Amino acid sequence: MVDPFGRAIYYLRVSVTDRCDFRCVYCMSEDMSFLPKGDLLTLEELDRLCSTFVARGTRKLRLTGGEPLVRRNILQLFHNLARHLDSGALDELTLTTNGSRLAFFAPELAACGVRRINVSLDSRDPEKFKAITRRGDLAQVLRGIDAAQSAGIDVKINMVALKGVNEGEIVPMISWAHARGMDVTLIEVMPMGAIEPDRLDQYLPLSDVRAEIARHFTLRDLAYRTGGPARYVEVAETGGRLGFITPLTHNFCESCNRVRLTCTGTLYMCLGQNDAADLRAPLRESASDDALNAAIEEAIARKPKGHDFMIDRAHTAPAVPRHMSVTGG
Ligand code: SAM
Ligand code: SF4
């Protein structure tokens, strides 16, 4: 699939549920209302949708959410999608998780062919971790990371940089993760969905963070790309990789290779725009995939050039009304 700007679209991210066992302060409000379970696509429907994308050239599938591992029987979907790895149609099947249930699921995920995962970890201080996630248990997440590594899965740590909250933990997080063979990616807070705190209070530009890290470590720019928005450096002292996702300070859209599907079958062609295509109706309309294929083709032809994220005094409202958990980060 190629979009109007000549970008090859070969990466599908699927939010398999909007629910989560955490309520991270930058992601959700304390009092979230979630979709009625009956509105969700079934696991069979998610499989059919993903498989249609694979047949159209998608090489990488990431299941996310909400928290993907809280969806009931989600491992069934991993097991079924693994057939595309076996056939060679798919290069990678992966997930982004908060790690809360990873200790339990890691061996089975590995058995499904999952080789790399992203685990979100914004603090290694148990109290701060609980405050950021509003309910998470750090020890449980750390056990999940251990289990994933023991199962032979590569773990990358995603850390959202939060002003005045975890600024001082960034350098120690890099040392800790790199010593355990895990890459780290730092993420700027994005203005998505209504939350109680003011985004401006949370927003920490990664340009400042990088300057601070460079006071502790020698950073070498890398040509390494995962086809995603992160720009990587190598930390000379640790030999580990560090990524920066900077939607606010640097627009990363020119190399965008992805589209995002919600758990109700809505396809968002851009994380930061409102335009979307309904794939649930064509999916349910007939057992043939013709209508679905036509809807996907039409949607890719509308993929926008990029997002317009901004956070400053004049732009404190969300750029899009939906939370990150709807389209999956
Ligand atoms: N629950 C899983 C997790 O936390 O990894 C998967 C879904 S979560 C929405 C995916 C990623 O998006 C996480 O790394 C999270 O930190 C990030 N995220 C959520 N809301 C964000 C926001 N407003 N700005 C930047 N990153 C955000
Ligand atoms: Fe849940 Fe992930 Fe959002 Fe945190 S970032 S509330 S873990 S979906």
Side-chain angles (χ1 to χ4, degrees), residues 20 22-24 26-28 65-67 98 325:
C20 187
F22 292 0
R23 297 283 184 280
C24 300
Y26 52 81
C27 177
M28 292 192 180
E67 173 48 38
N98 66 23
S325 48

